[in-house]
Amino acid sequence: MQAQFDNVDLPPGVEANFSFLEKVPSAANSTPVTANTHDQEVTKDVASSSSSNIASFDIVDDFSDHYYANSGFKGQQPPRDWMKKIQDEWKILEKDLPGTIFVRAYEQRMDLLRAVIIGPAGTPYHDGLFVFDIHFPPTYPSVPPLAHYHAGGLRINPNLYDNGYVCLSLLNTWRGKGSEMWMPKQSTMLQVLVSIQALILNEKPYFNEPGYERTSGQDDGEKRARNYNRNIFILSLKTMIYTLRRPPLHFENLVAGHFRSRAKFILIACRAYMEGVPIGSTADDGTRYDKSETENFTRTVAGMINGLVSNFSRFGVTDLDQYRIGT
């Protein structure tokens, strides 16, 4: 999978003369969450937006490509109380999912879920689609669900490993205190998904790394965080390209509709970031970083833009030639 990501030519850097004029829609129906990623405790609102008319929650049949397809009860009938708990989780998800998280449950495999999370505005993950497979163990909810991120070999966050491991206190895969950890009688799958979106896919993921938060606000730490954001944005673009080429099962319409509606904004953002605008900016306040700090980033993104245009065009997005480089 990594090799497919890297099959993009990287021509020399170009000067981008494209103003960053488009503003991300304002947040609505935000859901506050608190959890712990590595050492960092955060409380943050997750913006809810309507990027498509696709159902946020649905029940489907085919689970053949699910990461945990071979786990679970293996043909045995699940206990009645376990099934009741899963049905309660379904009801919560169907009712309360924010508009930027989409879930598919499986009628024949109640122990499985698949979720697609849209990267939040104001972060290096904005407009990306991030896929997670979930498994409810036979002892759920005494133990938390298992989560696997479809990483494609890319380490896009200190808490999301290139092998798919998800590091989050609410999953008991990282240390935490009290309600930051899984609480069998209180915690829900909705909390897990919203925590991933708010606490992992955040504005400055560099500071999720243990010990790095101590440099937040310091010149060196902030510069490292900016460089990290640039690298993460590149990996997010690579993830977009792969997702466009191979949409996750049961989310094909979501992928098509999402990128049809967001393609031009993504390309506008690319050109702006190449000019030195901070990654994740939702409006142009005049801030520009020196070209010596952004040279490698500019060169790499320049090499990816035409590939993005081609893939967006395949999904019916028109009038994209203005964003091409070197044509």
Side-chain angles (χ1 to χ4, degrees):
M1 192 179 293
Q2 174 72 58
Q4 295 185 50
F5 281 143
D6 290 336
N7 287 334
V8 182
D9 293 332
L10 302 179
V14 298
E15 297 299 323
N17 296 311
F18 207 98
S19 298
F20 190 50
L21 300 176
E22 184 170 349
K23 188 174 182 179
V24 176
S26 59
N29 302 323
S30 60
T31 304
V33 297
T34 302
N36 203 26
T37 58
H38 292 320
D39 300 74
Q40 184 181 36
E41 183 178 354
V42 184
T43 300
K44 187 173 182 180
D45 283 349
V46 178
S48 181
S49 64
S50 55
S51 62
S52 70
N53 294 321
I54 306 300
S56 293
F57 179 87
D58 201 1
I59 299 175
V60 296
D61 293 323
D62 188 357
F63 57 87
S64 58
D65 70 335
H66 197 282
Y67 182 79
Y68 295 106
N70 295 322
S71 302
F73 291 96
K74 298 182 179 179
Q76 299 179 1
Q77 182 70 18
R80 186 180 300 272
D81 58 346
W82 181 93
M83 295 177 64
K84 176 63 167 58
K85 175 60 177 175
I86 301 304
Q87 289 172 342
D88 290 343
E89 293 280 13
W90 286 6
K91 292 176 183 177
I92 293 171
L93 292 169
E94 186 173 21
K95 178 177 179 290
D96 295 328
L97 274 173
T100 49
I101 300 179
F102 298 79
V103 171
R104 298 295 176 260
Y106 301 87
E107 187 170 6
Q108 302 302 318
R109 286 291 303 272
M110 293 180 66
D111 59 315
L112 305 180
L113 288 178
R114 172 165 290 171
V116 172
I117 298 177
I118 299 178
T123 76
Y125 305 100
H126 69 79
D127 295 300
L129 298 179
F130 303 94
V131 184
F132 295 82
D133 280 353
I134 307 297
H135 169 56
F136 297 109
T139 54
Y140 185 84
S142 296
V143 298
L146 302 177
H148 174 83
Y149 168 59
H150 285 265
L154 301 177
R155 183 76 181 274
I156 68 164
N157 188 283
N159 298 87
L160 298 176
Y161 287 63
D162 55 9
N163 63 0
Y165 185 78
V166 181
C167 193
L168 183 70
S169 61
L170 196 54
L171 295 173
N172 290 353
T173 52
W174 185 251
R175 59 180 177 265
K177 299 178 182 179
S179 61
E180 295 168 356
M181 304 295 288
W182 181 260
M183 302 178 68
K185 294 183 179 180
Q186 299 180 31
S187 301
T188 67
M189 190 63 233
L190 176 64
Q191 287 178 296
V192 171
L193 295 175
V194 174
S195 294
I196 290 172
Q197 187 182 53
L199 306 176
I200 292 180
L201 304 177
N202 64 38
E203 181 181 3
K204 295 181 180 180
Y206 173 80
F207 296 121
N208 280 20
E209 193 67 48
Y212 287 13
E213 75 281 357
R214 291 193 295 268
T215 65
S216 178
Q218 301 176 13
D219 288 345
D220 183 63
E222 294 297 328
K223 183 176 181 179
R224 290 176 181 271
R226 292 196 298 271
N227 287 332
Y228 190 87
N229 275 7
R230 294 185 188 104
N231 291 332
I232 293 304
F233 182 71
I234 289 168
L235 297 183
S236 182
L237 292 179
K238 291 181 178 181
T239 302
M240 289 181 194
I241 291 173
Y242 182 78
T243 303
L244 284 160
R245 291 174 178 171
R246 294 185 60 182
L249 189 62
H250 305 302
F251 291 96
E252 296 87 351
N253 290 339
L254 170 64
V255 171
H258 172 75
F259 285 116
R260 275 198 296 266
S261 67
R262 300 304 292 168
K264 291 182 180 179
F265 174 82
I266 292 167
L267 293 169
I268 288 170
C270 286
R271 299 296 293 266
Y273 300 156
M274 290 165 61
E275 292 179 338
V277 171
I279 304 296
S281 298
T282 57
D284 189 355
D285 64 359
T287 300
R288 298 289 186 276
Y289 291 109
D290 187 86
K291 291 181 180 179
S292 63
E293 187 176 320
T294 62
E295 182 178 0
N296 291 336
F297 169 83
T298 297
R299 184 182 304 113
T300 302
V301 174
M304 299 181 69
I305 283 182
N306 290 352
L308 286 165
V309 169
S310 296
N311 280 280
F312 291 149
S313 298
R314 287 178 47 243
F315 282 80
V317 187
T318 59
D319 300 324
L320 295 182
D321 284 344
Q322 61 183 309
Y323 303 105
R324 288 187 180 276
I325 291 177
T327 59

